[in-house]
Amino acid sequence: MNTLPTTDSTRLGISVVTSAWNIERLVGETIRSVVSQKQPGDQYVFVDGASADRTAEIARGFGDQIDVMISEPDDGQYHGIMKGFDHATGDIQGWLNADDILMPWTFSVVREVFDRFPDVDWITGSPSFLSDQGQLTRVYSKLPAYPRQFIANGWFSKTLGGYLQQESMFWRRGLWDKVGGLDLKYALAGDFDLWTKFARHADLVPVDVPLAAFRERPGEQRSSASEDRYQQEVKQICADKPRATAAWRFLANRGTVARSFARLMIRGSSPAIVYNRRTRDWQMTTARRSISRQSLGTLIEEWRLDRLGEE
């Protein structure tokens, strides 16, 4: 793994950026999930794209708990994120969409993991999901493998490995600087492109605990509301990359059951970080695992629920 230097090994500062636009109903919960756990040296950057509702007003109500507040027209979410990272000072970085949340322990875990493992440059937590009402509805508890070449090739996509969860990602500042951040020519799949670039330089290391939750709002999120355009961008990003095996591609296009089975069967070796309850510390493990983030039992139960919904 590539090692990128930090500025302070005793207290690693964390910078989180949120880019928001017209999301007054949910933005307060998002902001609270960040500012409630900040420590000296941490930073929250909030970028509002000149919302027509109360989004900016709600953010300003948090006062100096938000370290950098920007409210001005921009060219979309990724443009706002890039502006936010221009102000980021932390050793560790991540961004949080304005309808998602961090877990209450996220800063503590992230800081300890990056401090304990100086060779780790990029981490993610267990995928977790919120309902539109803010209830935690799912946590994928199976520890997966994230083969670096799979990510670099764009194989963690909708039908192959499944998308990587952006809100759970944290990385060292040097990794972001090395790849130049987001490519603004992608309006919807900029994070997908960023992961392929990160993977050229660093392993994605899963931490066996939820770090953030994605709020499911069917039809409202940009990627779900513009699925065709999103997939066009993914196809463009992957155009010059190696393709997955013909067998994997065949199964991936045979429906959810076949796709999920393929993910369980495909295995790789990659590092992971787990908490040892006996020694009471985080430890690194490297083993061959499937790339699936769901166990066979969980997949069967979801299949049963889907069948019930069809009756």
Side-chain angles (χ1 to χ4, degrees):
M1 286 179 288
N2 181 46
T3 303
L4 297 169
T6 60
T7 58
D8 183 356
S9 62
T10 59
R11 167 65 69 173
L12 296 175
I14 301 172
S15 288
V16 172
V17 173
T18 292
S19 176
W21 186 72
N22 286 352
I23 195 159
E24 61 180 4
R25 182 172 68 89
L26 301 172
V27 72
E29 186 177 355
T30 297
I31 295 172
R32 277 190 292 274
S33 78
V34 180
V35 301
S36 63
Q37 54 187 303
K38 284 172 53 192
Q39 297 294 320
D42 296 333
Q43 180 192 40
Y44 189 34
V45 181
F46 190 91
V47 183
D48 170 64
S51 294
D53 65 1
R54 296 180 57 250
T55 296
E57 178 186 344
I58 291 169
R60 290 192 181 98
F62 285 85
D64 60 7
Q65 295 181 84
I66 295 178
D67 300 278
V68 179
M69 172 77 191
I70 301 169
S71 184
E72 62 187 23
D74 56 38
D75 294 327
Q77 183 189 29
Y78 290 142
H79 183 219
I81 291 168
M82 287 292 281
K83 284 197 296 185
F85 279 120
D86 285 343
H87 295 269
T89 60
D91 308 280
I92 308 305
Q93 299 180 335
W95 86 76
L96 184 67
N97 290 338
D99 53 352
D100 301 329
I101 64 167
L102 296 183
M103 298 302 183
W105 52 81
T106 297
F107 273 36
S108 174
V109 171
V110 168
R111 196 184 332 272
E112 185 172 344
V113 164
F114 278 109
D115 183 58
R116 183 173 178 82
F117 303 101
D119 288 343
V120 170
D121 297 326
W122 181 25
I123 67 171
T124 189
S126 302
S128 307
F129 303 86
L130 294 177
S131 70
D132 193 35
Q133 291 74 39
Q135 299 169 343
L136 187 66
T137 56
R138 285 183 294 162
V139 177
Y140 290 167
S141 58
K142 179 190 166 298
L143 192 64
Y146 290 121
R148 184 163 154 184
Q149 199 59 43
F150 284 24
I151 302 174
N153 291 344
W155 295 351
F156 277 94
S157 59
K158 180 178 181 179
T159 58
L160 291 174
Y163 292 126
L164 300 174
Q165 195 177 26
Q166 163 269 314
E167 60 279 355
S168 284
M169 299 284 196
F170 290 88
W171 54 85
R172 296 191 193 270
R173 179 178 182 174
L175 184 59
W176 173 270
D177 292 341
K178 180 169 284 192
V179 305
L182 292 160
D183 188 335
L184 295 181
K185 74 181 178 185
Y186 301 116
L188 296 175
D191 53 350
F192 181 90
D193 176 64
L194 183 66
W195 312 146
T196 68
K197 293 189 294 186
F198 274 3
R200 298 173 195 164
H201 305 284
D203 285 300
L204 175 59
V205 182
V207 179
D208 195 23
V209 65
L211 296 177
F214 173 82
R215 191 184 301 266
E216 296 181 296
R217 297 188 294 128
E220 295 186 49
Q221 271 118 347
R222 296 182 313 138
S223 55
S224 60
S226 309
E227 180 66 18
D228 288 345
R229 184 180 176 189
Y230 185 92
Q231 292 302 328
Q232 288 173 2
E233 291 188 3
V234 168
K235 186 176 180 180
Q236 181 181 354
I237 292 164
C238 295
D240 61 349
K241 301 182 186 301
R243 300 181 74 187
T245 64
W248 190 3
R249 287 185 279 115
F250 173 79
L251 288 172
N253 289 291
R254 297 292 293 177
T256 302
V257 174
R259 185 180 306 156
S260 299
F261 176 77
R263 292 172 188 169
L264 280 169
M265 293 299 103
I266 295 171
R267 302 173 68 82
S269 295
S270 65
I273 294 172
V274 298
Y275 190 77
N276 186 322
R277 287 181 291 178
R278 182 179 61 81
T279 60
R280 297 187 179 183
D281 59 11
W282 296 99
Q283 296 184 359
M284 179 79 75
T285 176
T286 302
R288 287 186 61 80
R289 303 179 183 85
S290 77
I291 66 170
S292 177
R293 283 155 280 188
Q294 294 177 273
S295 67
L296 179 59
T298 300
L299 289 170
I300 291 172
E301 190 61 35
E302 288 199 357
W303 177 77
R304 287 174 176 165
L305 290 173
D306 287 343
R307 290 290 299 273
L308 286 173
E310 293 171 0
E311 294 177 358

